Amino acid sequence: MATNVLICDDSSFARKQMARAIPKEWDVEVHFAGDGVEGVQAIREGKGEVVFLDLTMPNLDGYGVLEAIRKEDLPAMVIVVSGDIQPDAQERVKKLGAMAFIKKPIDSDKAREVLSEYGILPGAVS
Amino acid sequence: MTDTATVSLNEDQRDCYQELTNVAMGQAADRLARLLDSYVVLPIPKVNLIEANDLRMAIQEVETESAMSAVCQGFIGSGIAGEALLLFNDTSFSDLANLMNYDGELDRHGQLELLMDVSSLLIGACIQGIGEQLEIHFNQGHPVVLGQHCRVDELLQNSVNPWTKTLAIEIHYTMEQANIDCDLLLLFTEDSVAKLNNKINFLLD
């Protein structure tokens, strides 16, 4: 069965870049959200089994999304994809329950590496 | 207003500039955060095509009434040129000096030294960060102090550039734990915008 993947980023360019970076061999259904509020809603609807989450967004930022996931105990594996690469930012999102952190700009090699590392990508040799 | 058709910016392009800047300013913030051992709050950058005489309007985030100091630095590469302008709120100097463990006297000269350090770090990292993503190597000119303890309009008068239209990218940096407030403006010349847009369109395809 295809995995529901949610790409949550306020930039349409970044969403496209992220969608392109998803490994071709991975059976997924991709959903999009343009800010954190839309993102949380999509996760509630089961569209975010795996979430690629930006941090700097209007309305509700990535930290807020992580807090909502935790508060409502939503089933989502979150990989933060952000340009905010400060050590503090990486530490904070991990504390808030993010599984991994990928530096922007994203490419398929980086995505594949992280997905394999956490055993999300089936059949991958890590 | 005759050549608005030649220099333009559509929503996809604006979004792309914003995202490229987002990545570049993150790299710059990371370097500043490591230098000051503090967390830098990252805003959503503002991208606008403006008349150069309306530069002041482009500066939305800083308090235009407070005293400021400013540095500008030109950059050029692959036929694309522009100027980076760092506007630094004068009230930020004491916290900046503390975080940088600056133990000299914080007089005009001491402030200048701090201003040059921060501006070379932020401007350099941002310009190179944008360049890397567009595969442009930017050469940077010497930084020039536009003024210390002035009002924004006075500072902008000193940065007279001959272009009529400019692509302006504004990044407002603040610190979480300290009173440090500065505004980085990247201004691309009118001639550069078409070339930049070509590069951007290639990424958008």
Side-chain angles (χ1 to χ4, degrees):
Chain A
M1 227 180 72
T3 308
N4 282 302
V5 170
L6 177 70
I7 296 173
C8 186
D9 198 307
D10 57 320
S11 157
S12 69
F13 171 65
R15 290 196 297 271
K16 259 184 249 169
Q17 234 178 5
M18 184 62 237
R20 257 182 263 162
I22 291 177
K24 298 272 171 285
E25 66 271 26
W26 192 20
D27 183 19
V28 292
E29 187 166 343
V30 181
H31 309 273
F32 296 97
D35 63 33
V37 175
E38 284 179 32
V40 173
Q41 187 54 40
I43 296 167
R44 284 190 194 122
E45 291 164 11
K47 292 175 182 167
E49 292 171 83
V50 176
V51 182
F52 293 100
L53 180 68
D54 182 29
L55 289 181
T56 320
M57 290 184 290
N59 303 325
L60 183 68
D61 64 12
Y63 298 104
V65 173
L66 286 166
E67 276 163 15
I69 290 172
R70 174 181 274 189
K71 205 171 141 201
E72 299 178 32
D73 198 17
L74 297 169
M77 287 188 276
V78 180
I79 297 166
V80 170
V81 182
S82 176
D84 188 352
I85 54 173
Q86 298 178 71
D88 252 31
Q90 306 197 27
E91 215 173 280
R92 281 180 204 195
V93 297
K94 291 270 173 73
K95 271 193 194 140
L96 283 168
M99 191 175 67
F101 188 101
I102 304 180
K103 286 180 190 182
K104 277 185 178 178
I106 181 95
D107 61 48
S108 56
D109 288 345
K110 282 191 214 163
R112 187 176 283 114
E113 196 185 300
V114 168
L115 291 166
S116 307
E117 190 185 333
Y118 289 92
I120 297 172
L121 202 58
V125 189
S126 51
Chain B
M1 296 294 282
T2 48
D3 57 353
T4 40
T6 53
V7 185
S8 65
L9 191 66
N10 66 34
E11 213 30 64
D12 283 345
Q13 289 166 330
R14 182 200 307 273
D15 172 73
C16 190
Y17 283 116
Q18 216 169 39
E19 182 60 18
L20 295 177
T21 308
N22 182 28
V23 170
M25 75 179 187
Q27 291 167 353
D30 181 50
R31 293 186 49 188
L32 186 64
R34 287 168 197 268
L35 177 73
L36 303 182
D37 198 18
S38 310
Y39 184 69
V40 182
V41 181
L42 288 180
I44 294 171
K46 295 197 168 67
V47 178
N48 284 299
L49 205 55
I50 54 161
E51 303 283 334
N53 5 356
D54 291 341
L55 201 51
R56 191 178 161 181
M57 282 167 57
I59 302 170
Q60 299 167 2
E61 296 292 348
V62 287
E63 260 187 68
T64 43
E65 294 311 312
S66 35
M68 315 278 289
S69 300
V71 172
C72 84
Q73 191 169 12
F75 55 86
I76 187 161
S78 304
I80 291 162
E83 249 174 56
L85 193 65
L86 188 83
L87 297 162
F88 200 83
N89 197 317
D90 284 340
T91 57
S92 309
F93 279 115
S94 62
D95 276 11
L96 182 64
N98 281 338
L99 290 174
M100 286 181 73
N101 301 319
Y102 181 83
D103 44 17
E105 197 189 330
L106 203 54
D107 54 9
R108 215 179 158 84
H109 181 78
Q111 291 184 351
L112 190 61
E113 202 179 311
L114 292 173
L115 179 64
M116 293 310 259
D117 284 348
V118 170
S119 65
S120 77
L121 184 150
L122 284 180
I123 292 174
C126 268
I127 293 301
Q128 298 313 328
I130 288 179
E132 263 167 41
Q133 295 175 81
L134 293 172
E135 294 178 355
I136 302 167
H137 176 75
F138 284 121
N139 290 302
Q140 291 168 226
H142 285 290
V144 176
V145 180
L146 292 177
Q148 282 183 278
H149 319 310
C150 307
R151 289 211 330 267
V152 170
D153 354 9
E154 295 169 325
L155 290 167
L156 292 181
Q157 265 167 23
N158 295 341
S159 85
V160 188
N161 46 48
W163 340 315
T164 51
K165 264 202 182 328
T166 177
L167 174 71
I169 300 180
E170 183 193 15
I171 307 164
H172 184 230
Y173 284 105
T174 47
M175 309 288 298
E176 196 175 59
Q177 306 286 353
N179 172 29
I180 295 177
D181 179 349
C182 66
D183 216 40
L184 178 60
L185 281 168
L186 303 177
L187 306 167
F188 292 90
T189 65
E190 192 175 356
D191 295 344
S192 306
V193 179
K195 288 179 192 139
L196 267 175
N197 281 347
N198 280 340
K199 296 233 171 216
I200 293 279
N201 291 341
F202 182 73
L203 287 179
L204 286 169
D205 270 342

